[in-house]
Amino acid sequence: MARWIAEWHPDDPAFWESSGRRVARRNLIFSIAAEHLGFTVWTLWSIVATRMGSYEFTTDQLFWLVALPNLIGSVLRVPYTFGPARFGGRNFTVVSALLLLIPAVALGVAVNNPATPYWLFLVIAALAGLGGGNFASSMANITYFYPRDKQGVALGLNAAGGNIGVSSVQLVMPLVIGSLGLAAAGWFWIPFIVVAGICAFLFMDNLTSAKADPREQLAVAGRAQTWIMSFLYIGTFGSFIGYSTAFPLLSQSLFPDAPYAAVAFAGPLVGSLIRPVGGWLADRLGGAPVTLWNFAAMGGGVLLVWLAGEGGGFWAFFLAFQLLFLTAGIGNGSTYRMIPAIFQAKAVAERGEGEDALLYGKRQAAAAIGIISAVGALGGFLINRAFGMSFAAAGTPAPAFLAFGLFYLSCFALTWWCYTRKVGVRVVASLAHARV
């Protein structure tokens, strides 16, 4: 596994047109394929939990099974971020893809035994978190392949291709489980995982320029922008993955006779497909203004979902939820566009316009992406636990929706304070780079 490219200059227009574009596109395609399967394994339990009625688990226990992969996946995103820089993007994609076989096989075996204890299901759900780590390594790797002015769309496509894995699970799994049984939820994905690993081995590349000292990359943890963007990413990606995984079980709890299983895939699909549009809007209008007003829309969306859940019927609830998925997707794209803009522009400001400065900025951005994506993914855990605790304490998700609305208000205020108000930009000049 030693296929390395020593010369890589994507910001050189001649190099990009002659060979760079073709190589970058090939790596993007197979990166998306592997990341897509990572998301499918990561979110399998969002459907499996709704089919475990024979185990007599409480609603709170079922939400734990849905929440735990989000927690483990978010933690794994930190070490996964440094995988491509340490071992090579191609090499790490092969290994991380094949690791998905572990939770898939474990699930297939466990549900065949009606005596499987709850604690073992928790362990297997935690192993599904391996799929959550793939996102960070994939995004960090693709950052190096594209020039600055094309990263918004490239990262958006890479992320969207992975995010669609959630809708794949929620579209395909009810049909597979209904035809072949619950164990098929694990076995079904095994051949696809094997093919993804082989394709990554045959068609992806390692970049010598992407190699970096992890200690140098970890320096971004000391930058204020890293933690500000982490907080905002909880509001965008955390919302997307949290609502995606919670929707089936939440709908089952509120509207047990509704056809939620047939339409659960729609929201994650909408949020995934619209994500590149968020990156495109940020490329043209600026990441900060798009993110700011998107949080306002998310606040309105959670209010509509709350009202619909209290008495509007399933279809009103479903349609209101689509607004949350739409805005979460747009916010995913716009916030992710802000990250390389901030760190690359800051590198240029500190080191000048040379190629070394651009490469340093990409390394900083790649490391920041890992930390930010890890913290953001915690939103998936927090949303599912909020619903579980709300049902346990009040028998309704209303307290959780109230908390979500207040959180979006805080995200709106933070974005305005740090990235859009003129006085703040003058005082903290480095934060102005989020505008681009």
Side-chain angles (χ1 to χ4, degrees), residues 39-49 103-104 107 128 169 173 185-186 189:
F39 267 85
T40 63
V41 172
W42 192 26
T43 57
L44 266 177
W45 285 88
S46 67
I47 295 299
V48 172
L107 172 59
V169 163
M173 282 298 96
W189 300 105

Side-chain angles (χ1 to χ4, degrees), residues 7 43 95 111 198-199 235 247 258 351 368 380:
E7 295 295 326
T43 57
V95 173
V111 296
I198 292 173
C199 287
F247 181 81
R351 301 191 175 202

Side-chain angles (χ1 to χ4, degrees), residues 144-358:
Y144 292 101
F145 279 93
Y146 281 83
R148 280 190 297 172
D149 62 348
K150 292 178 172 56
Q151 284 183 349
V153 173
L155 291 174
L157 288 171
N158 191 56
N163 293 172
I164 290 174
V166 185
S167 58
S168 296
V169 163
Q170 296 180 347
L171 174 63
V172 174
M173 282 298 96
L175 302 175
V176 171
I177 293 171
S179 301
L180 303 174
L182 190 55
W187 302 122
F188 178 83
W189 300 105
I190 290 175
F192 296 100
I193 293 169
V194 172
V195 169
I198 292 173
C199 287
F201 179 83
L202 294 176
F203 302 116
M204 291 186 70
D205 302 290
N206 303 309
L207 296 179
T208 302
S209 60
K211 292 184 72 67
D213 183 348
R215 287 174 296 182
E216 176 187 340
Q217 290 185 295
L218 278 172
V220 300
R223 295 186 181 272
Q225 293 94 326
T226 301
W227 299 107
I228 293 170
M229 292 305 303
S230 294
F231 187 85
L232 299 182
Y233 202 55
I234 293 175
T236 55
F237 179 77
S239 294
F240 169 80
I241 197 64
Y243 293 143
S244 296
T245 52
F247 181 81
L249 187 55
L250 180 63
S251 298
Q252 183 187 61
S253 301
L254 294 175
F255 308 99
D257 298 324
Y260 61 88
V263 296
F265 75 93
L269 182 62
V270 167
S272 301
L273 293 178
I274 203 68
R275 179 168 184 156
V277 176
W280 177 81
L281 288 172
D283 281 340
R284 283 151 183 78
L285 303 177
V290 172
T291 301
L292 178 75
W293 294 110
N294 190 73
F295 277 127
M298 293 185 76
V302 81
L303 176 61
L304 291 176
V305 171
W306 184 358
L307 294 175
E310 290 295 313
F314 173 73
W315 290 111
F317 179 78
F318 170 77
L319 291 174
F321 237 113
Q322 302 317 295
L323 176 59
L324 277 181
F325 282 116
L326 181 74
T327 51
I330 291 173
N332 282 342
S334 65
T335 51
Y336 239 70
R337 174 64 184 93
M338 291 169 69
I339 299 168
I342 291 170
F343 285 95
Q344 291 180 23
K346 189 170 180 62
V348 169
E350 293 174 349
R351 301 191 175 202
E353 284 282 355
E355 187 172 340
D356 288 344
L358 294 177

